[in-house]
Coordinates of all heavy atoms in Angstrom, one line a residue:
T63 N 13.0 16.0 -3.0 CA 14.4 16.2 -2.7 C 14.8 17.6 -2.8 O 15.8 18.0 -2.1 CB 15.3 15.3 -3.6 OG1 15.0 15.6 -5.0 CG2 15.1 13.8 -3.3
A64 N 14.3 18.3 -3.7 CA 14.7 19.7 -3.9 C 14.3 20.6 -2.6 O 15.1 21.4 -2.3 CB 14.0 20.3 -5.1
V65 N 13.2 20.3 -2.1 CA 12.8 21.0 -0.8 C 13.7 20.7 0.3 O 14.2 21.5 1.0 CB 11.3 20.7 -0.5 CG1 10.9 21.3 0.9 CG2 10.4 21.3 -1.6
V66 N 14.0 19.5 0.4 CA 15.0 18.9 1.6 C 16.3 19.5 1.4 O 17.0 20.0 2.3 CB 14.9 17.4 1.6 CG1 16.0 17.0 2.7 CG2 13.6 16.9 2.1
G67 N 16.8 19.4 0.2 CA 18.1 20.0 -0.2 C 18.2 21.5 0.0 O 19.3 22.0 0.3
R68 N 17.1 22.2 -0.1 CA 17.2 23.6 0.0 C 17.0 24.0 1.5 O 17.6 25.0 1.8 CB 16.1 24.3 -0.9 CG 16.0 25.8 -0.8 CD 15.2 26.3 -1.9 NE 15.0 27.8 -1.8 CZ 15.9 28.7 -2.3 NH1 16.9 28.2 -2.9 NH2 15.6 29.9 -2.2
F69 N 16.1 23.4 2.1 CA 15.9 23.9 3.5 C 16.4 23.0 4.6 O 16.3 23.4 5.8 CB 14.3 23.9 3.6 CG 13.6 24.9 2.8 CD1 12.9 24.4 1.7 CD2 13.9 26.3 2.9 CE1 12.2 25.4 0.9 CE2 13.3 27.2 2.2 CZ 12.5 26.8 1.1
A70 N 17.1 21.9 4.3 CA 17.7 21.1 5.3 C 19.2 20.9 5.0 O 19.6 21.4 4.0 CB 16.9 19.7 5.4
G71 N 19.8 20.1 5.9 CA 21.3 19.9 5.7 C 21.5 18.6 4.9 O 20.6 18.0 4.3
T72 N 22.7 18.4 4.7 CA 23.2 17.2 3.9 C 22.9 15.9 4.6 O 22.6 15.0 3.8 CB 24.8 17.3 3.7 OG1 25.4 17.3 4.9 CG2 25.1 18.5 2.9
A73 N 22.8 15.8 5.9 CA 22.4 14.5 6.6 C 21.0 14.2 6.2 O 20.6 13.0 6.0 CB 22.6 14.7 8.0
E74 N 20.2 15.2 6.2 CA 18.7 14.9 5.9 C 18.5 14.5 4.4 O 17.7 13.6 4.1 CB 17.8 16.2 6.2 CG 17.7 16.5 7.7 CD 18.8 17.2 8.3 OE1 19.8 17.6 7.5 OE2 18.8 17.5 9.5
L75 N 19.3 15.1 3.6 CA 19.2 14.9 2.2 C 19.8 13.5 2.0 O 19.2 12.7 1.0 CB 20.1 15.9 1.3 CG 20.0 15.8 -0.1 CD1 18.5 15.9 -0.6 CD2 20.9 16.8 -0.9
A76 N 20.9 13.1 2.6 CA 21.4 11.7 2.5 C 20.5 10.7 3.0 O 20.5 9.5 2.6 CB 22.7 11.6 3.2
A77 N 19.6 11.0 4.0 CA 18.7 10.1 4.5 C 17.5 9.7 3.6 O 16.8 8.7 3.8 CB 18.1 10.5 5.8
L78 N 17.3 10.6 2.6 CA 16.2 10.3 1.6 C 16.4 9.1 0.8 O 15.4 8.4 0.5 CB 16.0 11.5 0.8 CG 15.2 12.7 1.3 CD1 15.2 13.8 0.3 CD2 13.9 12.3 1.7
G79 N 17.6 8.7 0.5 CA 17.9 7.6 -0.3 C 17.4 6.3 0.2 O 16.5 5.6 -0.5
P80 N 17.8 5.8 1.4 CA 17.3 4.6 2.0 C 15.8 4.6 2.2 O 15.1 3.7 2.0 CB 18.1 4.3 3.1 CG 19.3 5.2 3.0 CD 18.9 6.3 2.1
N81 N 15.3 5.7 2.7 CA 13.9 5.9 3.1 C 13.1 5.9 1.8 O 12.0 5.2 1.9 CB 13.7 7.1 3.9 CG 14.3 7.1 5.3 OD1 14.2 6.1 5.9 ND2 14.8 8.1 5.8
S82 N 13.5 6.4 0.7 CA 12.8 6.4 -0.4 C 12.6 5.0 -1.0 O 11.7 4.6 -1.6 CB 13.4 7.4 -1.5 OG 13.3 8.7 -1.1
L83 N 13.7 4.2 -0.9 CA 13.7 2.9 -1.3 C 12.7 2.0 -0.6 O 11.9 1.3 -1.1 CB 15.1 2.2 -1.2 CG 15.2 0.8 -1.6 CD1 15.1 0.7 -3.1 CD2 16.5 0.2 -1.1
V84 N 12.6 2.2 0.8 CA 11.7 1.4 1.6 C 10.2 1.8 1.3 O 9.3 1.0 1.1 CB 12.0 1.6 3.1 CG1 10.9 1.0 3.9 CG2 13.3 1.0 3.4
F85 N 10.0 3.1 1.3 CA 8.6 3.6 1.0 C 8.1 3.3 -0.4 O 7.0 3.1 -0.7 CB 8.5 5.1 1.4 CG 8.4 5.3 2.9 CD1 9.5 5.8 3.6 CD2 7.2 4.9 3.5 CE1 9.4 5.9 4.9 CE2 7.2 5.0 5.0 CZ 8.3 5.6 5.6
S86 N 9.1 3.3 -1.4 CA 8.7 3.1 -2.7 C 8.3 1.7 -2.9 O 7.4 1.3 -3.6 CB 9.9 3.3 -3.7 OG 10.1 4.7 -3.8
F87 N 8.9 0.7 -2.2 CA 8.5 -0.7 -2.2 C 7.1 -0.9 -1.7 O 6.3 -1.5 -2.4 CB 9.5 -1.6 -1.3 CG 9.0 -2.9 -1.2 CD1 9.1 -3.9 -2.1 CD2 8.4 -3.4 0.0 CE1 8.7 -5.2 -1.9 CE2 7.9 -4.7 0.2 CZ 8.1 -5.5 -0.8
F88 N 6.8 -0.3 -0.6 CA 5.4 -0.4 -0.1 C 4.4 0.3 -1.0 O 3.3 -0.1 -1.1 CB 5.3 0.1 1.4 CG 5.9 -0.9 2.3 CD1 7.1 -0.6 3.0 CD2 5.3 -2.0 2.7 CE1 7.6 -1.5 3.8 CE2 5.8 -2.9 3.6 CZ 7.1 -2.6 4.1
N89 N 4.8 1.5 -1.6 CA 4.0 2.1 -2.5 C 3.6 1.3 -3.7 O 2.4 1.3 -4.2 CB 4.7 3.4 -3.0 CG 3.7 4.3 -3.7 OD1 2.6 4.3 -3.7 ND2 4.2 5.1 -4.6
Y90 N 4.6 0.6 -4.3 CA 4.3 -0.3 -5.4 C 3.5 -1.5 -5.0 O 2.6 -1.9 -5.8 CB 5.6 -0.8 -6.1 CG 6.3 0.3 -6.8 CD1 7.8 0.5 -6.6 CD2 5.7 1.3 -7.6 CE1 8.4 1.5 -7.3 CE2 6.4 2.3 -8.2 CZ 7.7 2.5 -8.1 OH 8.4 3.4 -8.7
L91 N 3.7 -2.0 -3.8 CA 2.8 -3.1 -3.3 C 1.4 -2.7 -3.2 O 0.5 -3.4 -3.7 CB 3.4 -3.5 -2.0 CG 2.6 -4.6 -1.3 CD1 2.7 -6.0 -2.0 CD2 3.0 -4.8 0.2
Y92 N 1.1 -1.5 -2.7 CA -0.2 -1.0 -2.5 C -0.8 -0.6 -3.8 O -2.1 -0.6 -4.1 CB -0.4 0.1 -1.5 CG 0.1 -0.4 -0.2 CD1 1.0 0.4 0.7 CD2 -0.3 -1.7 0.4 CE1 1.3 -0.1 1.9 CE2 0.1 -2.1 1.6 CZ 1.0 -1.3 2.4 OH 1.3 -1.8 3.7
L93 N 0.0 -0.1 -4.8 CA -0.5 0.1 -6.1 C -1.1 -1.0 -6.8 O -2.1 -1.0 -7.4 CB 0.6 0.7 -6.9 CG 0.3 1.3 -8.3 CD1 -0.7 2.4 -8.3 CD2 1.5 1.6 -9.1
G94 N -0.4 -2.2 -6.6 CA -0.8 -3.4 -7.2 C -2.1 -3.9 -6.5 O -3.0 -4.4 -7.2
L95 N -2.3 -3.7 -5.2 CA -3.5 -4.1 -4.5 C -4.7 -3.1 -5.0 O -5.8 -3.7 -5.1 CB -3.3 -3.9 -3.0 CG -2.5 -4.9 -2.4 CD1 -2.2 -4.6 -0.9 CD2 -3.0 -6.3 -2.5
G96 N -4.4 -1.9 -5.3 CA -5.4 -1.0 -5.7 C -5.8 -1.4 -7.2 O -7.0 -1.3 -7.5
T97 N -4.9 -1.8 -8.0 CA -5.2 -2.3 -9.3 C -6.0 -3.5 -9.3 O -7.0 -3.6 -10.0 CB -4.0 -2.5 -10.1 OG1 -3.2 -1.3 -10.1 CG2 -4.2 -2.9 -11.6
A98 N -5.8 -4.4 -8.4 CA -6.5 -5.7 -8.3 C -7.9 -5.4 -7.8 O -8.9 -6.0 -8.3 CB -5.8 -6.7 -7.2
T99 N -8.1 -4.4 -6.9 CA -9.4 -4.1 -6.4 C -10.2 -3.3 -7.4 O -11.4 -3.7 -7.6 CB -9.3 -3.1 -5.2 OG1 -8.5 -3.8 -4.1 CG2 -10.7 -2.7 -4.6
T100 N -9.6 -2.6 -8.3 CA -10.3 -1.9 -9.4 C -10.8 -2.9 -10.4 O -11.9 -2.8 -10.9 CB -9.4 -0.9 -10.1 OG1 -9.0 0.1 -9.1 CG2 -10.1 -0.2 -11.2
T101 N -10.0 -3.9 -10.7 CA -10.3 -5.0 -11.6 C -11.6 -5.8 -11.1 O -12.4 -6.1 -11.8 CB -9.2 -5.9 -11.8 OG1 -8.0 -5.1 -12.3 CG2 -9.5 -7.0 -12.8
L102 N -11.6 -6.1 -9.7 CA -12.7 -6.8 -9.1 C -14.0 -6.0 -9.2 O -15.0 -6.6 -9.5 CB -12.3 -7.2 -7.7 CG -11.3 -8.3 -7.5 CD1 -11.0 -8.4 -6.0 CD2 -11.9 -9.6 -8.1
V103 N -13.8 -4.7 -8.9 CA -15.0 -3.9 -8.9 C -15.5 -3.8 -10.4 O -16.8 -3.9 -10.7 CB -14.8 -2.5 -8.3 CG1 -15.9 -1.6 -8.6 CG2 -14.5 -2.6 -6.8
A104 N -14.7 -3.6 -11.3 CA -15.2 -3.4 -12.7 C -15.7 -4.8 -13.2 O -16.8 -4.8 -13.9 CB -13.9 -3.1 -13.6
S105 N -15.1 -5.9 -12.8 CA -15.7 -7.2 -13.2 C -17.1 -7.4 -12.6 O -18.1 -8.0 -13.2 CB -14.8 -8.3 -12.7 OG -13.6 -8.2 -13.4
A106 N -17.2 -6.9 -11.4 CA -18.5 -7.1 -10.7 C -19.6 -6.2 -11.3 O -20.7 -6.6 -11.5 CB -18.4 -6.7 -9.1
L107 N -19.2 -4.9 -11.7 CA -20.1 -4.1 -12.4 C -20.5 -4.6 -13.7 O -21.6 -4.4 -14.2 CB -19.6 -2.7 -12.4 CG -19.5 -1.9 -11.1 CD1 -18.8 -0.5 -11.3 CD2 -20.9 -1.6 -10.6
A108 N -19.6 -5.2 -14.4 CA -19.9 -5.7 -15.8 C -20.7 -6.9 -15.8 O -21.4 -7.3 -16.7 CB -18.6 -5.9 -16.6
G109 N -20.6 -7.6 -14.6 CA -21.3 -8.9 -14.6 C -22.8 -8.8 -14.4 O -23.5 -9.8 -14.5
G110 N -23.3 -7.7 -14.0 CA -24.8 -7.5 -13.8 C -25.0 -6.6 -12.7 O -24.1 -6.1 -12.1
A111 N -26.2 -6.4 -12.5 CA -26.6 -5.4 -11.3 C -26.3 -6.0 -10.0 O -26.4 -7.2 -9.8 CB -28.1 -5.1 -11.5
A112 N -26.1 -5.1 -9.1 CA -25.8 -5.5 -7.7 C -27.0 -6.2 -7.1 O -28.1 -5.8 -7.3 CB -25.4 -4.3 -6.9
G113 N -26.8 -7.3 -6.4 CA -27.9 -8.0 -5.8 C -28.4 -9.2 -6.6 O -29.1 -9.9 -6.1
E114 N -28.0 -9.3 -7.8 CA -28.5 -10.4 -8.7 C -27.7 -11.7 -8.2 O -28.3 -12.8 -8.2 CB -28.1 -10.3 -10.1 CG -29.1 -9.2 -10.8 CD -28.8 -9.1 -12.3 OE1 -27.9 -9.8 -12.8 OE2 -29.4 -8.2 -12.9
A115 N -26.5 -11.6 -7.9 CA -25.7 -12.8 -7.5 C -25.8 -12.8 -5.9 O -25.6 -11.9 -5.2 CB -24.3 -12.7 -7.9
G116 N -25.9 -14.0 -5.4 CA -26.0 -14.2 -4.0 C -25.5 -15.6 -3.6 O -25.3 -16.5 -4.4
P117 N -25.3 -15.9 -2.2 CA -24.8 -17.1 -1.9 C -25.8 -18.2 -2.1 O -25.4 -19.3 -2.4 CB -24.6 -16.9 -0.4 CG -25.5 -15.7 0.0 CD -25.6 -14.9 -1.2
D118 N -27.1 -18.0 -2.2 CA -28.0 -19.1 -2.5 C -28.2 -19.3 -4.0 O -28.9 -20.3 -4.4 CB -29.3 -18.7 -1.8 CG -29.2 -18.6 -0.3 OD1 -28.2 -19.3 0.2 OD2 -29.9 -17.9 0.3
S119 N -27.9 -18.4 -4.8 CA -28.2 -18.4 -6.2 C -27.2 -19.4 -7.0 O -27.5 -19.8 -8.1 CB -28.1 -17.2 -6.9 OG -26.7 -16.7 -6.9
G120 N -26.2 -19.9 -6.4 CA -25.2 -20.7 -7.0 C -24.2 -20.1 -7.9 O -23.5 -20.7 -8.6
D121 N -24.3 -18.8 -7.9 CA -23.5 -18.0 -8.8 C -22.3 -17.5 -8.0 O -22.4 -17.1 -6.9 CB -24.2 -16.7 -9.4 CG -23.6 -16.1 -10.6 OD1 -22.4 -16.5 -10.8 OD2 -24.2 -15.2 -11.1
S122 N -21.1 -17.6 -8.6 CA -19.9 -17.2 -7.9 C -19.5 -15.8 -8.1 O -18.4 -15.4 -7.7 CB -18.7 -18.2 -8.2 OG -18.4 -18.0 -9.6
R123 N -20.3 -15.0 -8.8 CA -19.9 -13.6 -9.0 C -19.9 -12.7 -7.7 O -20.7 -13.1 -6.8 CB -20.9 -13.0 -10.0 CG -20.7 -13.4 -11.4 CD -21.6 -12.7 -12.3 NE -23.0 -12.9 -12.0 CZ -24.0 -12.3 -12.6 NH1 -24.0 -11.5 -13.4 NH2 -25.2 -12.7 -12.2
V124 N -19.1 -11.8 -7.7 CA -19.0 -10.9 -6.5 C -19.8 -9.6 -6.8 O -19.7 -9.1 -7.9 CB -17.5 -10.5 -6.2 CG1 -17.4 -9.6 -5.1 CG2 -16.7 -11.8 -6.0
S125 N -20.5 -9.1 -5.8 CA -21.2 -7.9 -6.0 C -20.3 -6.7 -5.9 O -19.2 -6.8 -5.3 CB -22.3 -7.7 -5.0 OG -21.7 -7.5 -3.7
P126 N -20.6 -5.6 -6.6 CA -19.7 -4.5 -6.5 C -19.4 -3.9 -5.1 O -18.4 -3.6 -4.8 CB -20.4 -3.4 -7.4 CG -21.3 -4.2 -8.3 CD -21.6 -5.4 -7.5
G127 N -20.5 -3.9 -4.4 CA -20.4 -3.4 -2.9 C -19.4 -4.3 -2.2 O -18.6 -3.9 -1.4
S128 N -19.5 -5.6 -2.4 CA -18.7 -6.6 -1.7 C -17.1 -6.4 -2.1 O -16.3 -6.4 -1.3 CB -19.1 -8.0 -2.0 OG -18.2 -8.9 -1.3
A129 N -16.9 -6.2 -3.4 CA -15.6 -5.9 -3.9 C -15.0 -4.7 -3.3 O -13.9 -4.6 -2.9 CB -15.6 -5.9 -5.4
V130 N -15.8 -3.6 -3.3 CA -15.3 -2.3 -2.6 C -15.0 -2.5 -1.2 O -14.0 -2.0 -0.7 CB -16.4 -1.2 -2.9 CG1 -16.0 0.1 -2.2 CG2 -16.4 -0.9 -4.5
S131 N -15.9 -3.1 -0.5 CA -15.8 -3.3 1.0 C -14.5 -4.1 1.3 O -13.8 -3.9 2.2 CB -17.0 -3.8 1.7 OG -17.3 -5.2 1.2
C132 N -14.3 -5.2 0.5 CA -13.1 -6.0 0.7 C -11.9 -5.2 0.4 O -10.8 -5.3 1.0 CB -13.1 -7.3 -0.2 SG -14.3 -8.5 0.3
G133 N -11.9 -4.3 -0.7 CA -10.8 -3.5 -0.9 C -10.5 -2.6 0.1 O -9.3 -2.3 0.5
L134 N -11.5 -2.0 0.7 CA -11.3 -1.0 1.8 C -10.8 -1.7 3.1 O -9.9 -1.1 3.8 CB -12.6 -0.3 2.1 CG -13.0 0.8 1.0 CD1 -14.4 1.3 1.4 CD2 -12.0 2.0 0.9
L135 N -11.3 -2.8 3.4 CA -10.8 -3.6 4.5 C -9.4 -4.0 4.3 O -8.6 -4.0 5.2 CB -11.7 -4.8 4.8 CG -11.4 -5.6 6.0 CD1 -11.6 -4.7 7.2 CD2 -12.3 -6.8 6.0
G136 N -9.1 -4.4 3.1 CA -7.7 -4.8 2.9 C -6.7 -3.6 2.9 O -5.6 -3.7 3.4
A137 N -7.2 -2.4 2.4 CA -6.4 -1.2 2.6 C -6.1 -0.8 4.0 O -5.1 -0.5 4.4 CB -7.0 -0.1 1.8
L138 N -7.2 -1.0 4.9 CA -7.1 -0.7 6.2 C -6.1 -1.6 7.0 O -5.2 -1.2 7.7 CB -8.4 -0.8 6.8 CG -8.4 -0.5 8.5 CD1 -8.0 0.9 8.8 CD2 -9.8 -0.8 9.0
A139 N -6.3 -2.9 6.6 CA -5.3 -3.9 7.3 C -3.9 -3.7 6.8 O -2.9 -3.8 7.7 CB -5.9 -5.3 6.8
C140 N -3.8 -3.4 5.5 CA -2.3 -3.2 5.0 C -1.7 -1.9 5.6 O -0.6 -1.9 5.9 CB -2.3 -3.2 3.5 SG -2.6 -4.7 2.8
G141 N -2.5 -0.9 5.7 CA -2.1 0.4 6.4 C -1.7 0.2 7.7 O -0.6 0.6 8.3
L142 N -2.4 -0.6 8.6 CA -2.1 -0.8 9.9 C -0.9 -1.7 10.1 O 0.0 -1.4 10.9 CB -3.3 -1.4 10.7 CG -4.5 -0.5 10.9 CD1 -5.7 -1.4 11.5 CD2 -4.1 0.6 11.8
A143 N -0.9 -2.7 9.2 CA 0.4 -3.6 9.3 C 1.6 -2.8 8.9 O 2.7 -3.0 9.5 CB 0.1 -4.8 8.3
N144 N 1.5 -1.9 7.9 CA 2.6 -1.1 7.5 C 3.0 -0.2 8.6 O 4.2 -0.1 8.8 CB 2.2 -0.3 6.3 CG 3.4 0.4 5.7 OD1 4.5 0.0 5.7 ND2 2.9 1.5 4.9
M145 N 2.2 0.4 9.3 CA 2.5 1.3 10.4 C 3.2 0.6 11.5 O 4.2 1.0 12.0 CB 1.2 2.0 10.9 CG 1.4 2.9 12.0 SD -0.1 3.6 12.7 CE -0.9 2.2 13.4
V146 N 2.7 -0.6 11.8 CA 3.3 -1.3 12.9 C 4.7 -1.9 12.5 O 5.7 -1.8 13.2 CB 2.4 -2.5 13.4 CG1 3.1 -3.5 14.3 CG2 1.1 -2.0 14.0
L147 N 4.8 -2.5 11.3 CA 6.0 -3.1 10.9 C 7.1 -2.0 10.7 O 8.3 -2.3 11.1 CB 5.8 -3.9 9.6 CG 5.1 -5.2 9.7 CD1 4.9 -5.8 8.4 CD2 5.8 -6.2 10.7
L148 N 6.8 -0.9 10.0 CA 7.7 0.1 9.8 C 8.2 0.8 11.2 O 9.3 1.2 11.4 CB 7.3 1.1 8.8 CG 7.3 0.5 7.4 CD1 6.8 1.7 6.4 CD2 8.7 0.1 6.9
G149 N 7.1 0.8 12.1 CA 7.4 1.5 13.3 C 8.4 0.7 14.1 O 9.2 1.1 14.9
L150 N 8.2 -0.7 14.1 CA 9.0 -1.6 14.9 C 10.3 -2.0 14.2 O 11.3 -2.2 14.9 CB 8.2 -2.8 15.2 CG 6.9 -2.7 16.2 CD1 6.3 -4.0 16.3 CD2 7.4 -2.1 17.5
L151 N 10.2 -2.2 12.9 CA 11.3 -2.7 12.2 C 12.2 -1.8 11.4 O 13.0 -2.2 10.6 CB 10.9 -3.9 11.3 CG 10.2 -5.1 12.0 CD1 9.7 -6.1 10.9 CD2 11.2 -5.7 12.9
H152 N 12.0 -0.5 11.6 CA 12.7 0.4 10.7 C 14.3 0.4 11.0 O 15.1 0.5 10.2 CB 12.2 1.9 10.9 CG 12.4 2.4 12.2 ND1 11.6 2.3 13.3 CD2 13.4 3.3 12.7 CE1 12.0 3.0 14.3 NE2 13.1 3.6 14.0
P153 N 14.7 0.1 12.3 CA 16.1 0.0 12.4 C 16.8 -1.2 11.6 O 17.9 -1.2 11.1 CB 16.3 -0.2 13.8 CG 15.2 0.4 14.5 CD 14.1 0.1 13.6
V154 N 16.0 -2.3 11.7 CA 16.4 -3.5 11.0 C 16.4 -3.3 9.4 O 17.4 -3.7 8.7 CB 15.6 -4.7 11.3 CG1 15.9 -5.9 10.5 CG2 15.6 -5.0 12.8
L155 N 15.4 -2.7 9.0 CA 15.3 -2.4 7.5 C 16.4 -1.5 7.0 O 17.0 -1.7 6.0 CB 13.9 -1.9 7.1 CG 12.8 -2.8 7.2 CD1 11.4 -2.1 7.0 CD2 12.9 -3.9 6.1
L156 N 16.6 -0.4 7.7 CA 17.7 0.5 7.3 C 19.1 -0.1 7.5 O 20.0 0.2 6.8 CB 17.5 1.8 8.1 CG 16.2 2.6 7.8 CD1 16.1 3.8 8.7 CD2 16.2 3.1 6.3
G157 N 19.2 -1.0 8.5 CA 20.5 -1.7 8.7 C 20.7 -2.6 7.5 O 21.9 -2.7 7.1
L158 N 19.7 -3.2 7.0 CA 19.9 -4.2 5.9 C 20.2 -3.4 4.6 O 20.9 -3.9 3.7 CB 18.6 -4.9 5.5 CG 18.2 -6.0 6.5 CD1 16.9 -6.5 6.3 CD2 19.3 -7.1 6.5
L159 N 19.9 -2.1 4.6 CA 20.3 -1.2 3.3 C 21.6 -0.6 3.6 O 22.1 0.2 2.7 CB 19.2 -0.1 3.2 CG 17.9 -0.6 2.8 CD1 16.9 0.5 2.9 CD2 17.9 -1.2 1.5
G160 N 22.4 -0.9 4.7 CA 23.7 -0.4 4.9 C 23.8 1.0 5.5 O 24.8 1.6 5.4
T161 N 22.8 1.4 6.1 CA 22.9 2.7 6.8 C 23.3 2.6 8.3 O 23.3 1.5 8.8 CB 21.4 3.5 6.8 OG1 20.5 2.6 7.5 CG2 21.0 3.6 5.4
D162 N 23.8 3.5 8.8 CA 24.3 3.5 10.2 C 23.3 4.2 11.1 O 22.8 5.3 10.8 CB 25.6 4.2 10.4 CG 26.7 3.3 9.7 OD1 26.5 2.1 9.7 OD2 27.7 3.8 9.2

């Protein structure tokens, strides 16, 4: 906000409030997803070496590589959904926040 307040006008500075609210919501959502992925990877690493558990072994443990790839795929899907939703729905979201 200091940079915007110094180099831009009051309208730009006023626009930071609602935009910060929307982006902070998504930031906290993705922070939770990152924490969950870290927990899955740590559990997989603590459970044994990669490759010990498999679909035929009857063990329900997840391999570390599988946990990382699921986390990356989830991040990609969430990022694309975020881009599309915010790109299409930004007038509605900002209208719900009372901006004109």
Side-chain angles (χ1 to χ4, degrees):
T63 56
V65 173
V66 174
R68 181 164 174 86
F69 296 111
T72 56
E74 291 83 4
L75 188 59
L78 280 179
N81 288 321
S82 295
L83 180 70
V84 171
F85 283 105
S86 291
F87 170 75
F88 285 105
N89 187 25
Y90 290 133
L91 176 70
Y92 298 138
L93 182 68
L95 291 174
T97 302
T99 302
T100 302
T101 303
L102 286 174
V103 171
S105 296
L107 287 172
E114 287 183 2
D118 298 330
S119 67
D121 196 353
S122 63
R123 288 184 295 174
V124 177
S125 70
S128 177
V130 170
S131 64
C132 286
L134 289 174
L135 184 62
L138 178 66
C140 288
L142 290 174
N144 188 25
M145 181 180 67
V146 170
L147 288 176
L148 287 179
L150 295 176
L151 298 177
H152 70 274
V154 175
L155 289 173
L156 292 175
L158 289 172
L159 293 174
T161 61
D162 291 330

